[in-house]
């Protein structure tokens, strides 16, 4: 019939059965194996985002996140995205084009942050370190004092090398120059203690 759209069958899969996922032991920093309790919760009935049980679950999730992050920050949120999405959200919302971001670069994620920030028009000043080794926090603090950036980015746990970066004194150094401290804790949160408020971290994600 003239004027009626015809759907092509070219990409239709014939004989497509149910999805089969093999049992796999995941030992990397992520993705990781999911607790049977979590899998069970994910199979429950769907409810709307305005329903009271959903709001209650979100409130409980925020409070549990405050516990694991050791913070009283009211803006503790669950993000429906990857760690990389959280990184970009921090940079987009906390920095303006032309502002200076000091980035500790001793692995893949420092380089990734540099790439994201540069694409958004942020001026990046790297604190270059050797891959596989932590950068001396005193060196970073001295760079903060001399550069006086708008923000400082540090990867607490560098999954590309397995290094846990000390944050000693960085929060105080940032406050001295009115800079924000942004910390990537994707692979450390829940594995080692992370004390967001005590360490004077302004923005943190995992």
């Amino acid at each position: 019939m003239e004027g009626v759209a015809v759907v092509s069958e070219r990409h239709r899969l014939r004989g497509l059965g149910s999805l089969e996922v093999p049992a796999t032991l995941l030992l990397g920093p992520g993705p990781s194996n999911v607790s049977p309790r979590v899998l069970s919760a994910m199979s429950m009935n769907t409810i709307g985002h305005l329903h009271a049980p959903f709001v209650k679950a979100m409130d409980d999730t925020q409070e549990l996140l405050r516990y694991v992050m050791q913070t009283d920050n009211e803006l503790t949120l669950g993000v429906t995205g990857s760690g990389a999405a959280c990184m970009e959200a921090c940079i987009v919302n906390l920095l303006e084009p032309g502002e200076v971001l000091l980035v500790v670069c001793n692995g893949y994620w420092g380089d990734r942050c540099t790439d994201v920030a540069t694409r958004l028009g942020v001026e990046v000043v790297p604190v270059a370190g050797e891959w596989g080794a932590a950068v001396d926090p005193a060196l970073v603090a001295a760079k903060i004092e001399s550069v006086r950036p708008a923000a400082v980015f540090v990867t607490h746990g560098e999954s590309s090398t397995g290094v846990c970066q000390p944050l000693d004194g960085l929060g105080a150094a940032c406050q001295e120059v009115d800079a924000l401290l942004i910390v990537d804790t994707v692979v450390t949160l829940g594995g080692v203690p992370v004390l967001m408020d005590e360490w004077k971290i302004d923005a943190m994600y995992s």
Side-chain angles (χ1 to χ4, degrees):
M1 183 185 302
E2 185 177 349
V4 176
V6 177
V7 176
S8 170
E9 297 287 309
R10 185 168 62 254
H11 298 294
R12 182 171 182 174
L13 292 177
R14 304 292 180 179
L16 183 65
S18 299
L19 178 66
E20 294 184 12
V21 180
T24 306
L25 178 61
L26 301 171
L27 298 175
S32 55
N33 290 101
V34 179
S35 163
R37 182 181 174 191
V38 173
L39 292 175
S40 176
M42 292 173 66
S43 68
M44 291 182 178
N45 291 333
T46 301
I47 57 176
H49 64 283
L50 298 179
H51 289 173
F54 183 91
V55 175
K56 173 65 165 58
M58 290 301 297
D59 288 343
D60 290 345
T61 299
Q62 282 188 297
E63 195 63 21
L64 290 167
L65 286 172
R66 290 186 187 104
Y67 168 69
V68 74
M69 292 178 168
Q70 291 293 284
T71 183
D72 295 324
N73 196 320
E74 292 186 5
L75 294 177
T76 305
L77 310 169
V79 177
T80 53
S82 64
C86 294
M87 173 194 287
E88 186 167 347
C90 283
I91 296 170
V92 167
N93 287 284
L94 298 177
L95 289 158
E96 296 286 344
E99 287 188 314
V100 175
L101 173 65
L102 191 73
V103 179
V104 177
C105 296
N106 61 334
Y108 175 83
W109 294 106
D111 291 348
R112 176 69 170 270
C113 176
T114 297
D115 181 52
V116 171
T118 301
R119 289 169 184 261
L120 294 169
V122 174
E123 181 183 344
V124 174
V125 176
V127 181
E130 181 182 351
W131 278 46
V135 178
D136 183 354
L139 176 65
V140 180
K143 197 76 170 178
I144 293 171
E145 183 179 5
S146 63
V147 174
R148 305 182 72 84
V152 176
F153 176 88
V154 185
T155 305
H156 188 226
E158 181 52 72
S159 60
S160 65
T161 62
V163 169
C164 186
Q165 172 64 43
L167 302 175
D168 307 24
L170 297 188
C174 285
Q175 288 186 350
E176 285 291 324
V177 299
D178 199 25
L180 298 174
L181 178 58
I182 304 170
V183 180
D184 175 330
T185 62
V186 169
V187 301
T188 51
L189 189 68
V192 298
V194 178
L195 312 179
M196 183 176 183
D197 289 355
E198 184 177 324
W199 294 349
K200 300 178 173 63
I201 298 170
D202 296 291
M204 187 174 87
Y205 62 86
S206 186

